[in-house]
Amino acid sequence: MTAMDEHSLDRGTFLNEIEGHLLVAATCTEGRAAAARFTARLDRLTDGQREEVTRQFEAEYLALTRLSWQRTAERSRQLRDEYEGRYRRLRQRALACCLLACALFAATGLVAVALI
């Protein structure tokens, strides 16, 4: 691997990390907004109770979102492995067909030369 490749890899990793942080921040914002909508309907809560419910709601929202992301990532890995396996088998069959066609072509040519 060249220095340029390593630099590109480092930059790609860095950008992925930034994207991850931004995604988590956006999810926290969504969680806070959902918690605010939820607690707005609970008229009998004190301010302290409302803050605690909001904090717990946001934490649960983030935990559920992370679980969803993990499941999605695991499923994408499974699909990638499955499709890579299928592609490998398809490539092997295509190569076998090409070799068979070449062998048939060569055999036909040998028979034609032998008959002359």
Side-chain angles (χ1 to χ4, degrees):
M1 188 179 292
T2 66
M4 182 69 90
D5 292 338
E6 288 177 11
H7 181 69
S8 296
L9 183 62
D10 291 342
R11 186 179 332 147
T13 302
F14 179 70
L15 291 175
N16 285 339
E17 287 181 18
I18 289 174
E19 183 180 19
H21 288 292
L22 292 173
L23 191 57
V24 169
T27 301
C28 287
T29 302
E30 290 171 4
R32 270 188 237 101
R37 286 191 304 272
F38 177 74
T39 57
R41 296 182 295 214
L42 304 174
D43 298 333
R44 296 186 180 159
L45 293 178
T46 65
D47 288 342
Q49 290 171 330
R50 188 175 310 278
E51 288 174 16
E52 180 62 19
V53 169
T54 300
R55 188 188 62 73
Q56 288 183 7
F57 190 102
E58 181 184 346
E60 186 65 23
Y61 186 91
L62 184 58
L64 289 172
T65 302
R66 280 187 177 155
L67 180 62
S68 174
W69 292 339
Q70 289 169 347
R71 287 180 179 160
T72 300
E74 178 58 30
R75 182 63 181 143
S76 69
R77 281 189 291 275
Q78 290 171 353
L79 288 173
R80 183 188 62 228
D81 292 345
E82 182 181 329
Y83 287 128
E84 283 177 355
R86 286 184 181 184
Y87 178 74
R88 210 173 8 262
R89 287 189 299 276
L90 178 62
R91 197 173 57 205
Q92 289 170 347
R93 278 187 263 162
L95 178 62
C97 287
C98 284
L99 291 175
L100 179 62
C102 288
L104 287 174
F105 183 70
T108 303
L110 288 174
V111 168
V113 168
L115 292 176
I116 296 178

